[in-house]
Amino acid sequence: MSAPPATASWASADPYALALRAGHGPLFLRRADGWLLPLDVDRWCARADAVDRAVLDRCEGAVLDVGCGPGRLVAELAARGHAVLGIDVSETAVDRTERLGGPALHRSVFAPLPGEGRWGSVLLMDGNIGIGGDPRALLDRVVQLLSPGGLLLAETAPVDVDERTQVQVVDVTTHARGGTSFPWARVGTESLLRYAALAGLTPDAQWTAGGRRFAALRARSTDPARSSAEPPNSAAVISSQRGRNPAADWPVADR
């Protein structure tokens, strides 16, 4: 599997960093034709709500939150005593996550990551199925990260859509834009299930709550490509204790 090409990310764009520091929007992804997709910065910067917590109740084993943003989900899992790690390409997001007490790394999902092949659960929330603009490539990468039989918990678009496009981060109140455009995708549940089948993930559950749609997908319980990987209960699983360096608990080979 080849990763999508390195591009400027919406999460490293200046309007996004400013919004996270302020704790609120409005912020949008803007297509070239002018269509705007609102980003729910206010909710992301708040504590995990009832809908979020119900998703987190399904988590199994150590949890990797891909595109953790300002860290509400990582902080909630850490408070519950879960082994958890957030990753994000935004330094501002990582800083905010750590201030909430959640371990996080400034890292792309397509870069080498701790514990590959040993995560019990991976989260793709808040539209993060769109990362890289290629859902199939992203799901292939998730399969590499999950332990055999591990669980992907993904939030899909509220409508049936399968769109790949170029977008730009904009603040419509100041007309600030986040640099160059970058690839993004929007995927509804039906489209996600099609891509998931190609990646070797099987449906586990689907549900709607609070106007948001979710799907749980499970990796194969055995994968010949991972025959040499360490078992999921190896010493690589980190502690979620607050105030610790998340990378310090992982083997050097996994960093």
Side-chain angles (χ1 to χ4, degrees):
M1 180 202 74
S2 60
T7 60
S9 166
W10 70 282
S12 59
D14 286 344
Y16 179 71
L18 291 171
L20 290 194
R21 293 187 188 108
H24 60 80
L27 211 60
F28 298 83
L29 294 183
R30 183 185 186 275
R31 287 193 318 217
D33 62 4
W35 181 86
L36 295 172
L37 174 68
L39 301 176
D40 201 351
V41 178
D42 297 58
R43 179 170 59 80
W44 300 346
C45 288
R47 293 287 181 171
D49 61 21
V51 175
D52 295 327
R53 293 193 297 271
V55 175
L56 300 184
D57 288 344
R58 296 173 179 262
C59 287
E60 303 171 358
V63 183
L64 179 68
D65 186 1
V66 174
C68 64
R72 75 188 193 283
L73 304 179
V74 177
E76 173 67 21
L77 285 167
R80 295 182 182 195
H82 269 277
V84 59
L85 178 68
I87 60 168
D88 206 288
V89 296
S90 165
E91 290 188 63
T92 304
V94 170
D95 289 345
R96 189 173 176 116
T97 299
E98 292 177 335
R99 287 199 302 272
L100 288 178
L105 290 177
H106 182 214
R107 199 76 58 88
S108 164
V109 66
F110 294 105
L113 291 171
E116 296 199 12
R118 299 193 291 277
W119 292 100
S121 301
V122 169
L123 299 177
L124 283 174
M125 298 279 280
D126 303 325
N128 284 337
I129 188 65
I131 289 173
D134 187 341
R136 171 65 195 280
L138 180 58
L139 291 175
D140 284 343
R141 178 61 175 142
V142 167
V143 169
Q144 292 177 343
L145 297 170
L146 283 169
S147 63
L151 194 66
L152 167 63
L153 294 164
E155 182 171 355
T156 61
V159 295
D160 189 14
V161 63
D162 186 356
E163 176 186 72
R164 303 184 193 192
T165 187
Q166 295 287 124
V167 295
Q168 199 173 26
V169 178
V170 297
D171 179 340
V172 296
T173 62
T174 64
H175 304 290
R177 298 187 180 187
T180 58
S181 63
F182 55 91
W184 194 251
R186 289 198 308 142
V187 178
T189 301
E190 293 305 314
S191 296
L192 173 66
L193 295 179
R194 289 196 297 272
Y195 288 123
L198 295 173
L201 294 159
T202 58
D204 195 77
Q206 300 173 47
W207 71 100
T208 301
R212 299 161 63 190
R213 296 178 68 183
F214 304 92
L217 302 154
R218 196 167 293 279
R220 295 188 183 97
S221 56
T222 57
D223 187 341
R226 297 195 198 148
S227 58
S228 62
E230 295 180 35
N233 291 326
S234 74
V237 176
I238 67 170
S239 165
S240 62
Q241 292 177 353
R242 295 170 182 261
R244 298 184 61 182
N245 177 358
D249 296 298
W250 293 90
V252 172
D254 279 339
R255 291 180 194 168

